[in-house]
């Protein structure tokens, strides 16, 4: 059932299939009803079950898309907003990030205001708590698209999260509400969410202030899931050594915390014979552990990995209450069904894929080891267990866990992040005992004592353990770093996924089917298609060429790290991102106009001056104008790329047709637009002009607007008449509107679960 559900959701999101939900659910009901009545024909029944459940998965996915009404911002603008703070974070530089539900916009009043935005505030101000009002001037922009065709679309998850724009404040929030509508009276669910956000915020800041430094930021992430304050270098050490999964609250954290709570409660009850001899202490402890896990879920942010871990743990603890087997693949299946039913789009995320693959491999792998151990024990007498043997068994279990989980998650890490921590088992072997017996138990004790003010000593001890983990990660990072793998294919990933499922779910000799599937998947996994010669990010400013030897050269002297690192990991895997100075293009640049040639002989011209559009068209095969002019083509036949065209196409990858020598352009955003990209076709720009009472002032303002773009506001500007003449190749340009570039990256955004490797 879970595999069929995931398959149905994958067809909707991966293939663009949009069947009517009612048709999906009715077809599913008919097929499942027929399957129920033909139990005597297991093969037909199985096929009908798979197809019926897959149709249900497709229906859930389409319904999930239909009920998501997020308004993604169309472009970029400076605007005053008034809204209610939903959440607050503090990063490693002391700046605050606010999640805000927008109630009103002003100067301009946006025609398509986003319902929720995330704002970075660097100015000093009184921190605004969740539930309070934020009012101030901000610069808004939409989530950026893929860095190159086929890469991760950063608008996907924000769309389903209800997040329509990112931005930063222009000065401190002033708190002037003005004519904004009053804040609506929150309902019960909103009040509960606000209280949870306040508790989470108070705990996060308490942990960070008590421990301090990177260790405090990581300790807060382990307890509350807030990762904004973790320094980039510390996060990179954890990623490159295969320890990034500790930052995603999932199976490891949930199992240790709930398990420690269960053992602690049962041990305390055992101290009182009158209770231990009369009451089922094991079941009482299971209820207490479930309560602790539920509280942990509430304060942790409840991402996909946490939801999966909680559902599995809840099923296991409920099984204890009814004296049933607790840890089985059936529990994992129930967890997958619940998560897919609640958020079908999550099946396309790295967090979901890696979390369930790792858990399936662990449960299936240990089931196979247990069966082998039982066969071996039946053939020989069981040896004694001294302290040395117990320690060896524990270390072997940690190593087996790391190998099972690391092998299962490696294909997804390679596909999504173009990197693999080949020696991750070394760091896990060295650090997992610290997490299991030091860090997480102290985290639980410190959290329980926090309301009484007795948590400081336990949190400081926890911080010492986290600091030791960081030292180990730094040491392994310097000596055994991860390796880049470049682009990978979806076909190879699908075959490797089937291999993981066969090895984990099949219990008979059919399990050996995993070997040929894995071999074929590994052979087809690397993407051997020809590499592009020219890469253009959607802001029109980040440009790079790819040489025959695989080296990237950038047009900008200091390219944007967000974009450059994605290009380097995908196209130059042998060169770690950020290692040394990046190569510069051998371009001829003067007065905002650059010329260069790609390895295939394509002539490229770049300019940010719209008056030089005709010159760029005359001199190049690919003309890039980093302005939002209305011109869509060159009379010379050259490919014209502008901010207006990039807004629709997203980032571009350009190659040379070997037969014609003409440029072949691949776009990152296909048309027709999917739901999370429809904002790219919405009208833009929004603009606001300061009201003028004098006609002369109005005329003077109009004349001035033809020569310069006012600072700090997105405005509609007519182009000077000179822009419509003077070249042979340029089609006449008529009063284009200048819109700001789509951002290269969101300074307030991080990859979240997409950058972590959840266990």
């Amino acid at each position: 059932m879970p595999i069929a559900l995931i398959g149905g959701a994958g067809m909707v999101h991966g293939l663009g299939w949009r069947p009517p939900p009612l048709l999906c659910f009715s077809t599913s009901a008919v097929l499942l009803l027929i399957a129920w009545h033909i139990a005597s024909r297991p093969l037909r029944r199985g096929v009908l079950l798979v197809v019926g459940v897959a149709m249900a998965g497709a229906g859930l996915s389409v319904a999930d898309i239909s009920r998501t009404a997020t308004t993604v911002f169309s472009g970029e603008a400076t605007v005053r907003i008034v809204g209610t703070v939903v959440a607050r974070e503090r990063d490693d530089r002391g700046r605050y990030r606010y999640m805000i539900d927008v109630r009103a916009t002003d100067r301009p009043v946006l025609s398509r205001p986003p319902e929720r935005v995330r704002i970075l505030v660097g100015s000093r101000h009184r921190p605004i708590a969740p539930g309070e009002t934020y009012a101030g001037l901000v610069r808004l922009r939409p989530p950026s698209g893929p860095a190159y065709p086929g890469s991760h679309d950063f608008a996907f998850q924000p769309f389903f999260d209800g997040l329509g724009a990112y931005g930063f404040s222009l000065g401190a929030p002033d708190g002037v509400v003005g004519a904004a509508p009053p804040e609506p009276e929150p309902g019960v669910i909103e009040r509960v969410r606000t209280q949870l956000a306040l508790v989470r915020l108070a705990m996060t800041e308490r942990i960070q202030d008590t421990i301090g430094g990177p260790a405090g930021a990581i300790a807060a992430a382990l307890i509350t899931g807030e990762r904004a304050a973790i320094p980039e270098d510390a996060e990179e050490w954890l990623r490159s050594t295969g320890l990034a999964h500790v930052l995603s609250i999932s199976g490891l954290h949930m199992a240790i915390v709930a398990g420690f709570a269960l053992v602690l409660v049962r041990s305390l009850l055992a101290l009182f014979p009158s209770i231990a001899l009369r009451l089922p202490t094991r079941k009482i402890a299971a209820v207490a552990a479930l309560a602790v896990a539920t509280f942990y879920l509430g304060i942790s942010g409840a991402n996909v990995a946490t939801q999966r871990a909680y559902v599995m743990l809840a099923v296991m603890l409920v099984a204890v209450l009814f004296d049933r087997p607790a840890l089985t693949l059936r529990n994992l299946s129930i967890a997958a069904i619940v998560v897919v039913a609640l958020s079908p789009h999550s099946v396309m995320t790295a967090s979901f894929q890696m979390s369930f693959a790792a858990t399936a491999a662990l449960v299936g792998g240990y089931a196979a080891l247990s069966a082998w151990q039982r066969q071996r024990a039946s053939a020989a007498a069981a040896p004694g267990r001294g302290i040395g043997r117990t320690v060896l068994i524990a270390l072997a279990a940690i190593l087996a866990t790391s190998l099972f989980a690391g092998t299962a998650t490696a294909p997804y890490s390679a596909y999504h992040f173009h990197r693999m921590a080949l020696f991750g088992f070394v760091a896990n072997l060295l650090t997992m005992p610290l997490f299991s017996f030091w860090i997480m138990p102290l985290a639980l004790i410190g959290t329980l004592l926090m309301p009484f003010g007795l948590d400081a000593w336990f949190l400081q001890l926890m911080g010492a353990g986290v600091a030791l983990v960081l030292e180990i990660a730094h040491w392994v990072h310097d000596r055994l770093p991860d390796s880049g793998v470049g682009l990978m294919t979806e076909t190879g990933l699908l075959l490797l996924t089937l291999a993981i499922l066969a090895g984990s779910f099949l219990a008979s000799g059919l399990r050996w089917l995993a070997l040929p599937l894995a071999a074929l998947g590994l052979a087809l996994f690397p993407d051997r298609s020809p590499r592009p010669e020219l890469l253009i990010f959607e802001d029109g400013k980040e440009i790079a060429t790819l040489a025959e030897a695989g080296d990237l050269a950038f047009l900008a002297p200091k390219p944007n790290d967000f974009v450059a690192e994605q290009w380097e990991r995908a196209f130059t895997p042998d060169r770690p991102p950020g290692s040394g100075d990046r190569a510069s293009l051998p371009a001829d640049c003067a007065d905002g106009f650059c010329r260069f040639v790609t390895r295939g002989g394509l002539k490229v011209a770049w300019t940010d001056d719209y008056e030089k559009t005709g010159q760029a068209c005359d001199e190049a095969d690919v003309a890039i104008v980093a302005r939002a002019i209305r011109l869509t083509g060159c009379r010379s036949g050259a490919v014209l790329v502008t901010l207006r065209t990039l807004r629709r196409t997203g980032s571009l990858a350009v190659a040379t047709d070997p037969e014609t020598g003409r440029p072949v352009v691949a776009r990152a955003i296909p048309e027709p637009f999917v739901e999370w990209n429809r904002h790219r076709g919405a009208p833009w720009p929004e603009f606001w002009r300061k009201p003028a009472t004098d006609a002369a002032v109005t005329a003077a303002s109009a004349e001035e607007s033809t020569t310069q773009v006012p600072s700090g506001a997105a405005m509609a500007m007519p182009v000077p008449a000179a822009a419509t003449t003077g070249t042979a190749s340029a089609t006449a340009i008529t009063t284009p509107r200048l819109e700001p570039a789509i951002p290269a990256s969101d300074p307030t955004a991080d990859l979240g679960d997409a950058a972590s490797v959840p266990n």
Side-chain angles (χ1 to χ4, degrees), residues 5 20 53 198 258 350 386 545 579 591 597 612 636 689 727:
L5 273 177
V53 176
L198 289 170
T545 60
S579 59
D591 299 326
V597 180
K612 297 179 180 178
S636 65
R689 284 192 174 92
T727 65

Side-chain angles (χ1 to χ4, degrees), residues 369-440:
L369 281 179
S370 299
W372 173 78
Q373 193 174 21
R374 285 194 299 270
Q375 292 177 357
R376 189 178 174 212
S378 63
R385 290 197 176 184
I387 295 178
R389 179 176 173 79
T390 301
V391 171
L392 287 176
I393 290 175
L395 292 177
I398 294 173
L399 181 60
T401 299
S402 180
L403 289 176
F404 285 147
T407 302
T409 57
Y412 306 98
S413 177
Y415 179 80
H416 291 287
F417 312 128
H418 316 301
R419 64 194 300 180
M420 285 196 302
L422 298 176
F423 300 99
F425 68 91
V426 175
N428 278 274
L429 186 63
L430 295 173
T431 58
M432 284 305 104
L434 296 176
F435 278 101
S436 300
F437 302 110
W438 181 351
I439 295 173
M440 295 310 297

Side-chain angles (χ1 to χ4, degrees), residues 61-441:
S61 296
V62 177
D64 183 33
I65 294 172
S66 301
R67 69 170 178 261
T68 302
T70 303
T71 302
V72 182
F73 199 42
S74 296
E76 187 172 357
T78 299
V79 59
R80 276 190 54 82
I81 66 168
V82 176
T84 304
V85 173
V86 177
R88 186 184 84 203
E89 299 174 330
R90 186 176 62 189
D91 68 10
D92 59 319
R93 296 167 57 182
R95 302 174 301 179
Y96 286 97
R97 295 176 182 174
Y98 292 100
M99 194 80 75
I100 302 168
D101 283 344
V102 178
R103 302 204 310 265
T105 62
D106 187 26
R107 294 183 294 175
V109 175
L110 299 178
S111 59
R112 297 180 66 257
E115 294 84 10
R116 177 170 291 183
V117 300
R118 190 162 77 173
I119 302 299
L120 175 67
V121 182
S123 304
R124 291 185 179 181
H125 66 289
R126 179 190 69 81
I128 304 172
E132 296 182 350
T133 295
Y134 182 104
L137 190 65
V138 299
R139 186 71 172 170
L140 294 181
R141 57 197 181 192
S144 62
Y148 55 88
S151 66
H152 175 69
D153 190 343
F154 290 92
F156 178 78
Q157 192 60 45
F159 172 78
F160 288 100
D161 291 341
L163 185 59
Y166 296 103
F168 55 89
S169 69
L170 300 176
D174 53 36
V176 179
V177 176
E183 182 179 356
E185 186 68 25
V188 176
I189 296 178
E190 286 74 16
R191 288 199 294 269
V192 171
R193 287 176 178 170
T194 299
Q195 290 303 314
L196 276 176
L198 289 170
V199 171
R200 188 184 187 195
L201 174 62
M203 292 179 63
T204 299
E205 295 187 346
R206 169 69 176 172
I207 296 164
Q208 291 174 354
D209 294 340
T210 301
I211 300 175
I218 294 175
L222 295 175
I223 296 176
T224 66
E226 294 286 2
R227 295 161 50 177
I230 301 176
E232 179 59 33
D233 55 352
E235 196 159 2
E236 179 60 26
W237 297 342
L238 296 174
R239 285 182 193 147
S240 67
T241 55
L243 291 175
H245 64 87
V246 302
L247 299 178
S248 175
I249 296 177
S250 53
L252 172 69
H253 312 72
M254 195 71 74
I256 293 175
V257 168
F260 184 76
L262 188 146
V263 171
L264 180 63
V265 171
R266 195 175 183 190
S267 300
L268 290 175
L269 293 176
L271 297 176
F272 303 94
S274 58
I275 296 177
L277 296 176
R278 291 177 174 83
L279 299 177
T281 57
R282 183 166 175 258
K283 296 181 179 181
I284 294 173
V287 172
L290 184 59
V292 170
T294 303
F295 176 73
Y296 197 12
L297 176 72
I299 65 170
S300 66
N303 62 31
V304 171
T306 314
Q307 293 173 22
R308 187 270 308 160
Y310 175 79
V311 173
M312 282 198 67
L313 186 71
V315 172
M316 183 185 75
L317 294 174
V318 171
V320 170
L321 297 179
F322 290 93
D323 300 313
R324 299 297 297 271
L327 192 61
T328 66
L329 282 171
R330 184 167 294 176
N331 291 3
L332 176 63
S333 299
I334 294 172
I337 291 169
V338 172
V339 171
V340 174
L342 292 176
S343 54
H345 64 274
S346 64
V347 303
M348 304 302 293
T349 64
S351 178
F352 178 95
Q353 295 165 11
M354 300 175 82
S355 177
F356 278 96
T359 309
L362 287 171
V363 178
Y366 273 108
L369 281 179
S370 299
W372 173 78
Q373 193 174 21
R374 285 194 299 270
Q375 292 177 357
R376 189 178 174 212
S378 63
R385 290 197 176 184
I387 295 178
R389 179 176 173 79
T390 301
V391 171
L392 287 176
I393 290 175
L395 292 177
I398 294 173
L399 181 60
T401 299
S402 180
L403 289 176
F404 285 147
T407 302
T409 57
Y412 306 98
S413 177
Y415 179 80
H416 291 287
F417 312 128
H418 316 301
R419 64 194 300 180
M420 285 196 302
L422 298 176
F423 300 99
F425 68 91
V426 175
N428 278 274
L429 186 63
L430 295 173
T431 58
M432 284 305 104
L434 296 176
F435 278 101
S436 300
F437 302 110
W438 181 351
I439 295 173
M440 295 310 297

Side-chain angles (χ1 to χ4, degrees), residues 543-712:
I543 314 291
T545 60
L546 193 62
E548 197 68 48
D551 298 327
L552 271 174
F554 296 85
L555 180 63
K558 293 183 178 180
N560 184 283
D561 286 336
F562 173 81
V563 178
E565 288 187 6
Q566 292 187 74
W567 287 351
E568 287 168 343
R569 290 203 178 276
F571 300 107
T572 59
D574 296 332
R575 183 181 185 274
S579 59
D581 295 331
R582 294 185 170 103
S584 297
L585 265 171
D588 176 20
C589 295
D591 299 326
F593 191 93
C594 295
R595 308 172 184 84
F596 57 92
V597 180
T598 69
R599 70 168 190 265
L602 287 177
K603 292 182 290 185
V604 182
W606 176 92
T607 182
D608 58 359
D609 185 351
Y610 57 82
E611 293 184 342
K612 297 179 180 178
T613 301
Q615 181 183 355
C617 286
D618 286 340
E619 299 182 6
D621 300 309
V622 179
I624 307 170
V625 182
R627 301 298 289 269
I629 61 175
R630 291 192 180 276
L631 186 65
T632 58
C634 295
R635 289 179 179 175
S636 65
V639 174
L640 179 62
V641 179
T642 70
L643 292 186
R644 196 172 289 273
T645 64
L646 285 169
R647 182 162 171 259
R648 297 189 67 88
T649 65
S651 301
L652 302 176
V654 185
T656 304
D657 189 321
E659 296 182 358
T660 64
R662 298 288 301 155
V664 179
V665 181
R667 54 189 291 170
I669 306 295
E671 292 191 46
F673 297 127
V674 290
E675 288 75 8
W676 46 92
N677 282 322
R678 285 180 179 169
H679 63 284
R680 293 178 176 270
W684 185 254
E686 305 277 359
F687 64 93
W688 170 74
R689 284 192 174 92
K690 187 175 181 180
T693 57
D694 187 271
V697 174
T698 304
S701 300
E703 181 179 354
E704 181 184 3
S705 70
T706 64
T707 59
Q708 61 182 0
V709 180
S711 174

